[in-house]
Amino acid sequence: MKLLCGQELAGQISLLYHEMETAYDRVAAQLGLTCEGCPDNCCDSFFLHHTYVEWSYLWRGFSELPPDTQKKILFRAEDYEQKCQTTLSAGERPQVMCPLNEAGRCVLYKYRLMVCRTHGVPAAMTRPDGKRLQFPGCFRCQDIVKKNCADVQQVPVMDRTGLLRQLVLLEQQFLSGRRHLAPRVKMTIAAMLMSGPPSVVDCSDRK
Ligand code: SF4
Ligand code: SF4
C-alpha cells in the first residue's frame, strides 16, 4: 500500500518547512546572500534524501499536478537517474538538473525537501552522539564570508539541530513509531518520484 501523508501531518510539515525558511532567511540577510543573479543553480547538485515523510509530502504536491506535467517530469526523472547512475559508476559525483526544475524554477517549490531549503548559508548541527558538524555554505556564500567576516566566530550560522529533531519526530509519526523497523531511505528526488509514494506497510514485519 502506497502512503500519502494526511492533512494534519501535511500541515505540520508545512509549518516546519516555514520555520526552516525563516531560519535560512535570517542568516542569508545577515550575510547579504541572495540567489539573485547567481551564475550557479543548485538544483543540479547531487543530494540524497532520507525521510519517508518528506518523500510522501513531495508526492502530495506531485499528485496535484496535471497528468501531462506529471508525465513530463517522470520522463525527465528517468533520464536523470540514468545519467546519475552512469556518472556514479565512473566514480564521479553527478551534476544533473533536478527533474522538478523547469526554466530555473522549482515546479514543486512549496513541497521541496529540507536539503533544498537549507543549502546555501553556513550551517551547523549537533549529532545525537554530541559531535558538532559545520557546513560552510555554497561557493557564493563562502566568498561573502571571506570578504566580510574577519572573525570566523562571528559568522552567522543556521543551526539545523532543532529542525532535524522536529523532522525525526514527524518521521516517527508518519511511520507510527516504527521508524527503527523501516528500511533506510537513501534516494534522489527523481527516484522518489519514479517509485510512487512510499510504501511502508510491511515495516512492522521486519526484524
Ligand atoms: S544557494 Fe548559493 S550557489 Fe546556490 S543559487 Fe543560491 S547563491 Fe547560488
Ligand atoms: S526539488 Fe525543487 S528546489 Fe529541490 S532540487 Fe529539485 S527543483 Fe531544486
Side-chain angles (χ1 to χ4, degrees):
M1 188 175 76
K2 302 283 186 184
L3 291 179
L4 282 185
C5 59
Q7 190 68 37
E8 193 188 331
L9 193 53
Q12 288 173 280
I13 299 169
S14 171
L15 276 177
L16 175 59
Y17 279 165
H18 180 68
E19 211 179 303
M20 287 176 194
E21 265 169 30
T22 308
Y24 182 100
D25 289 347
R26 194 180 307 123
V27 175
Q30 282 172 302
L31 284 166
L33 173 74
T34 75
C35 296
E36 206 61 44
C38 179
D40 198 1
N41 186 321
C42 295
C43 299
D44 66 5
S45 306
F46 184 74
F47 286 117
L48 294 171
H49 305 268
H50 301 282
T51 60
Y52 286 96
V53 72
E54 287 195 288
W55 174 6
S56 176
Y57 188 64
L58 182 76
W59 252 92
R60 206 180 152 90
F62 185 71
S63 62
E64 287 166 4
L65 294 173
D68 275 5
T69 309
Q70 291 188 6
K71 217 166 143 186
K72 266 195 298 178
I73 292 171
L74 288 178
F75 182 77
R76 290 202 297 263
E78 210 173 310
D79 182 57
Y80 176 99
E81 276 296 290
Q82 275 172 11
K83 285 179 175 149
C84 286
Q85 285 315 319
T86 307
T87 312
L88 287 168
S89 313
E92 287 163 25
R93 192 175 176 86
Q95 194 174 8
V96 186
M97 188 51 75
C98 174
L100 285 176
N101 190 297
E102 267 182 28
R105 297 205 169 266
C106 180
V107 178
L108 289 179
Y109 191 75
K110 183 179 144 195
Y111 296 91
R112 72 198 194 284
L113 281 69
M114 179 175 187
V115 169
C116 309
R117 292 164 193 270
T118 52
H119 178 72
V121 296
M125 64 167 283
T126 307
R127 289 195 327 200
D129 64 5
K131 191 169 170 12
R132 185 85 173 152
L133 304 179
Q134 307 273 1
F135 309 93
C138 67
F139 80 96
R140 207 181 197 194
C141 180
Q142 289 181 50
D143 279 352
I144 293 175
V145 167
K146 214 182 286 173
K147 269 186 216 141
N148 303 335
C149 307
D151 181 358
V152 197
Q153 302 300 324
Q154 300 301 317
V155 176
V157 166
M158 176 181 176
D159 197 321
R160 296 179 185 169
T161 314
L163 299 165
L164 274 166
R165 205 173 287 143
Q166 289 186 63
L167 185 61
V168 169
L169 288 176
L170 293 181
E171 179 79 335
Q172 274 287 39
Q173 201 174 317
F174 182 67
L175 297 175
S176 310
R178 297 191 182 122
R179 180 170 165 257
H180 58 296
L181 296 172
R184 194 162 172 246
V185 176
K186 205 175 168 189
M187 295 166 87
T188 61
I189 284 172
M192 286 178 165
L193 293 172
M194 285 164 64
S195 305
S199 170
V200 289
V201 75
D202 61 350
C203 70
S204 59
D205 300 331
R206 290 176 178 260
K207 296 277 180 277

